[in-house]
């Protein structure tokens, strides 16, 4: 008698249905869930081509008999639930009996599986949902499933897959979540024949160190509490180690990774004024609640769950995290007064201004042929509305180049008042009188614009400026971040980063661009990578160069809150008016706001 049964229609129909398999990540997720449910002690995930040509998961779990091995690929075939009551009390990761059927429908699957008391394993081959072969083979107890050529029979969906870098990242992130939730299982991840990660079985603390490194672990404080209804344990970051992205936030419910904004908010709220707005804590929190009090059957990928007592859970999490923070008596480290050092060389001589005007008045067409991509990047950053796909409309470009030119002339004219004085207000804005009235400049975005153009210039010219470091710095990166560094290495070098990749997760930094503040080299590189990731998520059309230039400019620019000396202000303004578009920052935000004298007159009733 097999263990797997087809669910009766009345139960099957109660299960949240939907598209389960969207990308290699979904396959990794479903297969690893099955391996965990099968009681595996060792799980290996193998990808080729970021999972596009192969996703293989090998486990040493309970395996399947021949009967079960065939029926497992039917829809609603599961050994995990049988009755409606079971559905209310789910203790396994899977329960819908749909994953294998959905995977087999869109790929070429080869499965070898053997239970401990059998001598031979069963081999099952299925292509596009059609059973091709069932035979006997040798294989150690456990299951190995190879999913080849995902979406081979649905080209539209195959085309929808993102770059290998992106697909790899998603798949690896899914893998990491299981590794965090199941430290007692040994996990291995291999991609294109390279071992990316190998986590030996251990305890929760050690697993966090294995995954994120010892350094990261030191930035965390423990969270622990237990009541009759709910328990929580895990770690959350010391406030001073909060980050600009939400990428290191993990919540697990009964060891299932979940996405829940309410709990995220509860944690964030516990930090109250301990961290800046726009910064986020990192956390890995394990919640445990009797499965009867949660519904995991609300979402096809089981990522979202519904709590019986949503606000109770919110208050509990908030209170416990708050308590942990106060217990560790965490007074946020005073942020050092910025030295206000801005490393930009003054270069306001007329010949340079003229030179720039000449370069811009040259027929754009010719320029475009030479550096088409470069121009597109510059133009779209100056006039975001000009971007129409990847093709350049020459007419449009000519029009825009005229606009840029006149913008520069106006800007130059406006500030050519000799008696101009600048005033910094709230260490954030710079106010000055211009011919036609008053202008207010946002210092951060102004510097961002300058650095952005300079970065694009460096990326385009192949002659980097590097400031060598006295002591090379070693940086530990996660595999996903490492993949980005590898991909961007040439670009980073062009920008002025002198770095070498060392081993699987280490980068050694020998030099940095002069804009990078001394002492902040590591932090800035990490922030650039984080922002690069975020940018590529929010705007998948960004070219890597444009994205990197943006991230670099944003992270090295002076910040709101940095006090500037009058000289520094002067240099900043001069540099700003030498850019190709002093009015709009690379993200499309305004740099300068003008208030005309007419407007002021009107406001004061002087008509
Ligand atoms: P579900 O996990 O929701 O039950 P799946 O389609 O993922 O549905 O799997 C169907 C059934 O196949 C499972 O219930 C389980 O009995 C069996 N199965 C799948 N993968 C494995 C595995 N790696 N080891 C043992 N049994 C497995
Ligand atoms: Mg499953």
């Amino acid at each position: 008698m097999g263990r797997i049964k087809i669910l009766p229609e009345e139960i099957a129909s109660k299960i949240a249905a939907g598209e389960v398999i969207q990308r290699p990540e979904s396959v990794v997720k479903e297969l690893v869930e099955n391996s965990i449910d099968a009681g595996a002690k060792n799980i290996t995930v193998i990808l080729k081509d970021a999972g596009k040509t192969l996703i293989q998961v090998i486990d040493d779990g309970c395996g399947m008999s021949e009967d079960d091995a065939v029926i497992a690929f039917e829809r609603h075939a599961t050994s995990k639930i049988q009755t409606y009551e079971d559905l209310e009390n789910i203790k396994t990761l899977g329960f819908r009996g749909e994953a294998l059927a959905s995977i087999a429908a869109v790929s070429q699957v080869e499965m070898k599986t053997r239970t401990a008391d059998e001598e031979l394993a069963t081999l099952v081959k299925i292509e596009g949902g059609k059973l091709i072969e069932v035979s006997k083979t040798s294989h150690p107890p456990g299951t190995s499933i190879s999913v080849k050529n995902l979406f081979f029979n649905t080209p539209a969906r195959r085309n929808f897959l993102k770059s290998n870098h992106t697909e790899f990242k998603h798949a690896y992130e899914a893998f990491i979540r299981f590794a965090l939730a199941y430290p007692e299982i040994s996990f291995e991840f291999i991609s294109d024949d390279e071992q990316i990660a190998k986590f030996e079985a251990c305890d929760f603390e050690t697993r966090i160190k294995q995954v994120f490194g010892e350094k990261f672990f030191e930035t965390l404080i423990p969270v622990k509490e237990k009541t009759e209804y709910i328990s929580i344990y895990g770690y959350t970051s010391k406030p001073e180690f909060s980050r600009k992205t939400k990428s290191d936030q993990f919540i697990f419910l009964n060891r299932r990774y979940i996405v829940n904004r309410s709990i995220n908010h509860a944690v964030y709220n516990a930090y109250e004024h301990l961290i800046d707005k726009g910064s986020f804590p990192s956390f890995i929190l394990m919640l445990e609640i009797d499965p009867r009090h949660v519904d995991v059957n609300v979402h096809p990928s089981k990522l979202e769950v519904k709590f019986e007592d949503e606000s109770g859970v919110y208050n509990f999490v908030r209170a416990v995290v708050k308590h942990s923070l106060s217990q560790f008596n965490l007074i946020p480290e005073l942020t050092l007064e910025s030295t206000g050092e801005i490393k930009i060389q003054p270069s306001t001589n007329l010949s340079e201004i003229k030179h720039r005007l000449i370069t811009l008045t040259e027929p754009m067409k010719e320029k475009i042929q030479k550096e088409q991509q470069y121009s597109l990047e510059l133009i779209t950053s100056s006039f975001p509305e000009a971007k129409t796909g990847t093709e350049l409309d020459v007419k449009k470009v000519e029009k825009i180049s005229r606009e840029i030119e006149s913008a520069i002339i106006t800007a130059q004219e406006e500030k050519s008042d000799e008696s101009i004085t600048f005033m910094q207000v709230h260490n954030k804005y710079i106010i000055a009188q211009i011919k036609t009235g008053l202008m207010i400049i946002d210092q951060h975005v102004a510097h961002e614009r300058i650095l952005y153009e300079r970065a694009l210039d460096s990326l385009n010219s192949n002659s980097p400026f590097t400031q060598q470091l006295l002591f090379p710095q070693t940086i530990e990166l996660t595999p996903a971040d490492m993949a980005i560094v590898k991909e961007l290495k040439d670009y980073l070098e062009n920008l002025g980063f002198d770095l070498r990749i060392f081993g699987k997760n280490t980068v050694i930094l020998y030099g940095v661009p002069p804009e990078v503040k001394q002492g902040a080299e590591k932090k800035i590189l990490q922030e650039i990578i984080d922002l690069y990731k975020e940018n590529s998520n929010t705007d998948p059309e960004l070219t890597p160069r444009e994205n990197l230039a943006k991230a670099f400019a944003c992270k090295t620019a002076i910040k709101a809150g940095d006090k500037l000396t009058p000289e520094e202000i002067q240099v900043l303004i001069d540099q700003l008016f030498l850019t190709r578009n002093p009015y709009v920052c690379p993200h499309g935000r305004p740099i300068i706001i003008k208030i005309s004298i007419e407007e002021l007159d009107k406001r004061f009733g002087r008509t």
Side-chain angles (χ1 to χ4, degrees):
M1 257 306 266
R3 296 183 308 128
I4 305 180
K5 303 262 167 6
I6 309 275
L7 288 175
E9 179 54 34
E10 68 270 18
I11 300 177
S13 64
K14 292 204 168 52
I15 286 174
E19 209 60 74
V20 225
I21 305 303
Q22 285 153 353
R23 57 193 333 168
E25 173 198 7
S26 347
V27 177
V28 169
K29 175 176 176 288
E30 296 296 337
L31 294 184
V32 175
E33 279 192 354
N34 283 345
S35 298
I36 294 173
D37 283 343
K41 293 275 158 284
N42 293 281
I43 298 176
T44 301
V45 176
I46 300 171
L47 300 189
K48 285 246 159 69
D49 214 8
K52 291 173 187 173
T53 46
L54 174 75
I55 303 153
Q56 186 179 8
V57 174
I58 307 168
D59 69 49
D60 58 355
C62 65
M64 283 172 265
S65 66
E66 182 172 328
D67 288 349
D68 279 351
V70 175
I71 198 175
F73 289 93
E74 301 272 335
R75 286 199 69 204
H76 302 306
T78 181
S79 58
K80 299 172 193 174
I81 62 168
Q82 282 183 13
T83 63
Y84 187 73
E85 285 67 45
D86 295 339
L87 193 54
E88 304 246 280
N89 186 18
I90 289 164
K91 295 201 170 87
T92 46
L93 290 168
F95 57 86
R96 310 162 71 235
E98 275 199 302
L100 289 184
S102 311
I103 293 169
V106 292
S107 65
Q108 297 157 332
V109 175
E110 203 180 297
M111 177 171 86
K112 290 177 187 168
T113 186
R114 188 189 133 191
T115 60
D117 50 14
E118 283 173 320
E119 265 173 35
L120 279 177
T122 306
L123 170 73
V124 179
K125 285 190 189 173
I126 296 191
E127 271 191 38
K130 273 202 221 57
L131 189 63
I132 305 275
E133 182 185 331
V134 182
S135 58
K136 286 293 171 194
T137 183
S138 70
H139 190 76
T143 305
S144 161
I145 302 189
S146 300
V147 176
K148 293 179 193 156
N149 304 317
L150 186 64
F151 302 137
F152 79 103
N153 52 353
T154 49
R157 282 166 77 186
R158 195 170 170 88
N159 287 337
F160 228 69
L161 293 176
K162 297 273 163 42
S163 70
N164 278 12
H165 158 242
T166 304
E167 295 300 343
F168 167 86
K169 196 182 86 173
H170 284 291
Y172 187 73
E173 281 169 359
F175 170 80
I176 285 302
R177 292 165 190 160
F178 289 117
L180 286 172
Y182 292 88
E184 75 276 27
I185 299 177
S186 153
F187 283 95
E188 186 181 16
F189 194 96
I190 296 169
S191 168
D192 290 333
D193 298 321
E194 194 193 344
Q195 192 189 56
I196 303 293
K198 168 88 201 208
F199 306 134
E200 295 296 349
C202 57
D203 58 20
F204 182 51
E205 282 68 33
T206 314
R207 181 53 58 87
I208 296 176
K209 292 179 197 167
Q210 288 174 337
V211 173
F212 297 111
E214 300 259 354
K215 285 258 159 56
F216 178 77
F217 190 76
E218 284 163 19
T219 69
L220 302 175
I221 52 173
V223 173
K224 200 173 168 117
E225 189 59 72
K226 197 176 162 78
T227 70
E228 247 172 48
Y229 185 83
I230 180 171
S231 86
I232 188 172
Y233 67 94
Y235 289 86
T236 193
S237 60
K238 296 175 186 166
E240 67 267 34
F241 290 100
S242 57
R243 295 175 64 168
K244 292 287 172 217
T245 72
K246 301 183 187 175
S247 56
D248 290 330
Q249 304 188 334
F250 299 88
I251 300 166
F252 297 88
L253 172 67
N254 298 339
R255 302 177 99 190
R256 181 195 302 279
Y257 174 80
I258 59 163
V259 172
N260 187 292
R261 292 179 66 177
S262 159
I263 298 180
N264 270 10
H265 190 266
V267 179
Y268 185 67
N269 203 290
Y271 279 76
E272 267 182 328
H273 36 258
L274 289 176
I275 55 179
D276 295 340
K277 209 169 169 244
S279 292
F280 305 95
S282 305
F283 50 82
I284 303 152
L285 295 174
M286 316 294 291
L287 288 171
E288 265 158 28
I289 301 181
D290 186 324
R292 283 169 226 276
H293 301 308
V294 248
D295 189 357
V296 288
N297 183 25
V298 289
H299 192 265
S301 70
K302 301 165 283 186
L303 265 175
E304 284 164 36
V305 299
K306 229 165 90 191
F307 296 102
E308 189 185 63
D309 180 6
E310 193 88 30
S311 68
V313 174
Y314 180 96
N315 291 330
F316 175 77
V317 172
R318 182 169 171 275
V320 175
V321 173
K322 224 178 151 124
H323 178 68
S324 296
L325 287 169
S326 70
Q327 255 215 331
F328 275 73
N329 200 9
L330 290 159
I331 303 150
E333 252 179 45
L334 276 181
T335 33
L336 286 174
E337 259 284 311
S338 151
T339 56
E341 209 179 310
I342 18 172
K343 301 228 178 74
I344 38 182
Q345 300 91 38
S347 61
T348 11
N349 57 56
L350 253 178
S351 73
E352 215 185 307
I353 299 172
K354 243 170 99 191
H355 168 75
R356 205 168 280 258
L357 289 178
I358 292 161
T359 5
L360 281 166
T361 38
E362 263 172 26
M364 266 307 223
K365 253 191 227 165
E366 224 185 278
K367 212 168 136 73
I368 292 155
Q369 277 158 4
K370 263 198 281 144
E371 341 170 280
Q372 195 181 38
Q373 192 50 41
Y374 180 51
S375 310
L376 178 66
E377 286 163 0
L378 273 176
I379 290 163
T380 53
S381 84
S382 300
F383 295 91
E385 71 278 11
K387 199 165 177 178
T388 46
T390 44
E391 284 295 303
L392 264 189
D393 176 349
V394 177
K395 279 251 162 56
K396 216 170 187 172
V397 169
E398 277 173 349
K399 183 171 163 279
I400 288 165
S401 82
R402 275 197 301 278
E403 282 175 26
I404 295 179
E405 196 186 318
S406 74
I408 287 184
I409 294 168
T410 334
Q412 283 297 339
E413 271 173 11
E414 273 170 348
K415 81 162 258 284
S416 67
D417 192 335
E418 286 307 326
S419 62
I420 195 159
T421 42
F422 298 105
M423 188 181 132
Q424 192 187 20
V425 292
H426 293 279
N427 293 341
K428 206 190 231 177
Y429 298 109
I430 295 161
I431 298 185
Q433 174 186 324
I434 51 170
K435 274 192 176 163
T436 52
L438 183 73
M439 72 176 171
I440 307 169
I441 296 171
D442 180 330
Q443 63 185 42
H444 170 68
V445 288
H447 199 205
E448 209 177 344
R449 159 58 62 185
I450 297 166
L451 295 179
Y452 172 71
E453 292 198 5
R454 201 170 294 167
L456 275 185
D457 283 335
S458 311
L459 288 172
N460 201 43
S461 72
N462 244 327
S463 50
F465 275 107
T466 298
Q467 187 127 12
Q468 292 302 321
L469 295 176
L470 217 46
F471 304 105
Q473 306 236 9
T474 310
I475 307 176
E476 263 187 55
L477 294 174
T478 63
D481 288 359
M482 197 61 178
I484 294 180
V485 170
K486 279 188 186 156
E487 192 181 278
L488 295 179
K489 190 163 182 283
D490 290 348
Y491 291 142
L492 286 166
E493 283 172 353
N494 265 346
L495 268 185
F497 285 100
D498 182 2
L499 52 87
R500 244 148 281 173
I501 289 167
F502 194 74
K504 275 197 207 74
N505 53 3
T506 310
V507 165
I508 302 183
L509 208 50
Y510 292 94
V512 293
E515 287 83 4
V516 172
K517 248 218 201 110
Q518 230 184 355
E521 295 87 356
K522 279 183 180 182
K523 186 171 147 262
I524 286 186
L525 184 63
Q526 180 68 52
E527 286 181 345
I528 291 174
I529 298 169
D530 288 346
L531 187 57
Y532 182 90
K533 282 191 283 196
E534 210 177 295
N535 287 346
S536 53
N537 282 342
T538 46
D539 183 0
E541 285 208 37
L542 270 185
T543 66
R545 286 163 19 130
E546 205 178 340
N547 187 347
L548 182 60
K550 277 187 181 171
F552 174 79
C554 180
K555 290 307 171 190
T556 51
I558 51 169
K559 305 253 165 349
D562 288 356
K563 177 139 191 64
L564 304 179
T565 65
E567 290 75 24
E568 286 164 347
I569 296 177
Q570 188 67 50
V571 173
L572 182 71
I573 304 295
D574 289 342
Q575 293 280 326
L576 174 65
F577 285 109
L578 283 174
T579 61
R580 294 161 180 95
N581 183 356
Y583 289 110
V584 189
C585 92
H587 306 100
R589 268 158 58 193
I591 297 173
I592 303 176
I593 289 173
K594 287 185 285 187
I595 303 173
S596 68
I597 195 78
E598 286 85 348
E599 172 68 10
L600 287 173
D601 286 347
K602 212 169 87 196
R603 295 275 172 134
F604 286 103
R606 261 180 205 280
T607 37

